[in-house]
Amino acid sequence: MAVPIAESPAVGARLLIITFVTTLIFHSSVADITVGASTSEEAPHRRFEYKYSFKGPHLSQSDGSIPFWIHTGNAIPSADQVRITPSLRSQRGSVWTKNKVNFEHWEAEVTFRVSGRGRMGADGLAVWFTSTQGLEGPVYGAADQWNGIGVFFDSFDNDGKKNNPAILVVGNNGNLVYDHQNDGSTQALGTCLRDFRNKPYPVRAKITYYKRTLTVLINNGFTPDKEDYEFCTKVDNMVIPSDGFFGISAATGGLADDHDVLSFLLFRLTEPGQQPIPKEEKDKYQEEFQNFQQELDKKKEEFQKEHPDVQGEPIDDLYESVNDREIRQVFEGQNRIHLEIKQLNRQLAMILDEQRRYVSVITDEVAKKGTNTESGQQLGSIVATQQEVLKSLNELKNSFHESLRQIGSVQNQGNQAPMGTYETMQHFNDIKEHLHTVKRNVENLVQRNNPADKAVKCPDLPPMPSCLSTVHFAIFVVVQSVLFFCYVMYKSQQEAAAKKFF
């Protein structure tokens, strides 16, 4: 009995060790399974599709069209955006891809801005993927009874439930009529409440269709961070057409907003492990590139034959660099300053001429009347004031001449050879000092000639003698009365003589 009692602690320790090892093995196997599952859910490959995208700064061409896209209705393309509808009542517009999209999985990034003056706007904006181009219609400017998917950014509350602005995902097989009265809430597969009007930064929407799952992410436009997305809605088991057109449409009603789309970027998604580009498509692109390269070489040879004098010379870059842009802006600013100073110089010359004429006239008057009378003293003070004005204006003119000379020297040096940074700053400081001097002289001149501080009055005119005395006035009244009485008597006699014949 003593042996079993002595061996029982050893057996318990062995059991504890075996249990601990088994637990470690189990946890390690579970961790391996978890890691394997996480690695299997890798992100899909993204490939940018430029033929189904547009963005600034060279969005539209010279004829107003968008490469690989068509626009209808009231849409207005420009260099950096497409205004789908302006902020006018009852407007409709849309843009659609010219070619069909035939890949299975995709991701679209839309950058837009909806802005209006009022607290409420209308009607909204929609992003489409449909089997046909819904160029015009009642559903946010596009056709109803579409076959595909529509992501609606509804800004007007039609049903009065105060659940707008909202984002809705609505699918259609070509037979469904959109429910405008209820804002499509009875037909929505997914929705979220997001205010996308009048934001400080453009609003971004990322719409992903991958493995029959449609996901909508929204960047609310409060920050400039382009990747600050938040979840909006998700629709599983979503079946859409295998090929179709992408489009963006908008509409306004009694209320109106500007619906501007800054960019639409489309990416093809492929599963990890698969070849991102099929071999047939890769060969097709390679052949197109070779044909383009051959045409380019032929055009180069033709150009060199037509222009042998420029053969071998490097072609200048079409776009200016940052330094060139800064230098151009500096010289444009100098030219504006130069023109302003020239205009001020001309105005000063005109004022000087007028002041000289005034001084000459007043000097002649003083010479005629002498300086002993009170009017002569006042005229003398006027002459002294005008002479001070002339002196100040001459100083201003000299300062302007100096500023013009320095600006001209800076421009000549900039045109002849590049100037050092220190020399350029020194010239700008000199110009700045001269302009400050001109400003101080003008202020002193205004204060000196301010009529509230020092008012110079013209001499009073001597009293004019009265032209008509009282006696003359009485004689004139008597004579006028006698003449009037005689006229009345003569008229009465004429009337009496005329009555005798009747």
Side-chain angles (χ1 to χ4, degrees), residues 384-424:
T385 304
Q386 294 295 330
Q387 288 177 352
E388 292 180 1
V389 172
L390 282 174
K391 183 178 178 182
S392 301
L393 291 175
N394 283 321
E395 293 177 357
L396 287 175
K397 188 174 181 181
N398 294 331
S399 299
F400 279 124
H401 277 301
E402 184 66 21
S403 300
L404 286 171
R405 185 186 63 79
Q406 291 199 2
I407 292 176
S409 63
V410 169
Q411 289 179 344
N412 292 331
Q413 292 178 6
N415 293 328
Q416 293 174 2
M419 185 184 295
T421 305
Y422 176 75
E423 296 176 358
T424 304

Side-chain angles (χ1 to χ4, degrees), residues 274-309:
Q274 293 184 358
Q275 187 177 0
I277 305 176
K279 187 177 183 304
E280 297 81 5
E281 191 173 355
K282 187 175 182 181
D283 295 339
K284 176 183 175 183
Y285 289 151
Q286 188 68 25
E287 184 179 358
E288 289 181 359
F289 175 75
Q290 291 177 357
N291 294 333
F292 176 77
Q293 192 69 28
Q294 291 175 1
E295 292 179 0
L296 182 61
D297 293 338
K298 290 180 181 179
K299 290 182 180 180
K300 284 183 179 180
E301 292 177 358
E302 293 176 358
F303 179 80
Q304 290 177 359
K305 290 179 181 179
E306 294 176 358
H307 305 83
D309 52 341

Side-chain angles (χ1 to χ4, degrees), residues 20-39:
F20 178 72
V21 172
T22 305
T23 305
L24 285 177
I25 295 172
F26 174 75
H27 281 292
S28 63
S29 62
V30 170
D32 292 338
I33 293 172
T34 304
V35 172
S38 62
T39 55

